[in-house]
Amino acid sequence: MSVASIAKLENRSLVCLSGEDAFAFLQNLVTNDLKLLEKTQSIYSALLTPQGKFLHDFIISKKEKALYLDCPASRKDDLIKRLTMYKLRAKVDIQDVTADLDLYALFGDTAQALATSYHDQQGAQEDKSSLLFADPRLPQLGYRFYCPVTAAQPDFFSSAARVPFDDYTKFRLSLGVPEGGSDIEPEKNFLLEINFEELNGVSFSKGCYVGQELTARTKHRAKIRKRLFQFKSDENISVGDVFKVDGKEAATVLSFTAPFGLALTRLDAWEKIEQGAPVSPENIALTKPTYVRLPEHSE
């Protein structure tokens, strides 16, 4: 796309954690290292079952002394329930603040220039009511912007094209980036199957968290047999559809917003595809996503 676009994220919610134990509480639960927030504005992370299966994913940002979890709206209540279950006597307050803040995605070729200009202006004005930061999953995804529902829209709103939420979904899927609540089914997959390491969402050096032992074992000892791949198609595709190679199941569709989708793909079938074996149905362009590991997340 030639210019920046901005889309309101209608499918996202914000959960705020505050209190003197908030940092330690969350650090002991989630897959990524919150200490990274000392040198970056946001991180991507997940909450797992004790058996290492995916439950929730979220973008974590820090504003003053509070932590904000940008999560799927459809999974927000369950996330709050599970965090509360782990809370015990920790001095942490867990609140849904979605009604107070609007969430947007700023993306496209000129997004970085608009974000830089915004930060320069806000630095001069010392305005801390809103938050704009780079998406921690993948640089190409652009930026997240949170602002109070009563706040005036910043200048970059007039410089970027306002687009429907579905346009952002298509853009995200075109980059092969999954999200919980729409592309990843809870309690079904291990993190490394759904590309969390490549999307900067898991630390293998931070120490213990829920599901850490099995995640580490998968990384260092086990062999992943399937991975989340992206595809493009002009066909009428539905969630649950199966792609085949040599008459055998090769991939299962997890999400599709025409013409882009994500499919959980058997790696033995992918080896055949790389050698030239055709995918059935025809006209399915199945590809392995190309991600960029951020320097601060490299281990």
Side-chain angles (χ1 to χ4, degrees), residues 88-239:
L88 300 177
R89 297 182 181 179
K91 296 178 180 179
V92 56
D93 186 34
I94 305 168
Q95 291 189 353
D96 176 10
V97 296
T98 310
D100 301 325
L101 294 163
D102 285 330
L103 285 72
Y104 295 90
L106 175 68
F107 57 103
D109 292 346
T110 61
Q112 183 174 1
L114 293 178
T116 299
S117 176
Y118 173 81
H119 283 139
D120 289 344
Q121 294 174 11
Q122 295 304 97
Q125 297 171 8
E126 296 184 353
D127 182 0
K128 298 181 180 180
S129 62
S130 300
L131 190 62
L132 176 70
F133 57 86
D135 193 305
R137 296 171 293 180
L138 195 65
Q140 296 97 308
L141 277 171
Y143 295 80
R144 276 295 213 268
F145 180 63
Y146 310 151
C147 65
V149 295
T150 57
Q153 293 179 344
D155 291 343
F156 67 75
F157 271 69
S158 61
S159 301
R162 294 294 297 269
V163 299
F165 164 69
D166 278 354
D167 282 19
Y168 175 73
T169 300
K170 292 178 184 178
F171 175 69
R172 176 177 60 79
L173 292 177
S174 75
L175 297 172
V177 178
E179 285 186 351
S182 57
D183 313 315
I184 314 169
E185 188 175 354
E187 301 188 57
K188 291 292 184 181
N189 297 110
F190 297 112
L191 277 195
L192 302 191
E193 293 176 336
I194 50 177
N195 304 336
F196 247 73
E197 182 179 8
E198 290 82 359
L199 291 170
N200 309 299
V202 57
S203 170
F204 293 99
S205 62
K206 64 168 281 187
C208 293
Y209 55 84
V210 178
Q212 180 268 340
E213 182 178 353
L214 198 139
T215 302
R217 189 185 311 156
T218 303
K219 164 73 171 176
H220 298 294
R221 299 181 184 178
K223 180 180 180 181
I224 295 296
R225 292 181 173 84
K226 50 189 176 181
R227 291 287 294 270
L228 197 65
F229 281 21
Q230 64 193 96
F231 69 90
K232 185 176 181 180
S233 176
D234 295 325
E235 303 292 330
N236 185 17
I237 302 294
S238 299
V239 173

Side-chain angles (χ1 to χ4, degrees), residues 25-31 46-48 83 86 206 209-210:
F25 167 74
L26 199 59
Q27 176 77 327
N28 290 330
L29 293 179
V30 302
T31 60
L47 179 67
L48 308 180
L83 292 175
Y86 282 114
K206 64 168 281 187
Y209 55 84
V210 178

Side-chain angles (χ1 to χ4, degrees), residues 9-43:
L9 299 177
E10 302 166 351
N11 69 329
R12 307 293 292 186
S13 289
L14 275 179
V15 175
C16 178
L17 275 64
S18 58
E20 61 182 271
D21 294 338
F23 184 96
F25 167 74
L26 199 59
Q27 176 77 327
N28 290 330
L29 293 179
V30 302
T31 60
N32 214 339
D33 191 349
L34 268 67
K35 292 179 182 178
L36 290 169
L37 291 172
E38 297 173 1
K39 55 183 179 181
T40 187
Q41 289 182 294
S42 64
I43 59 173

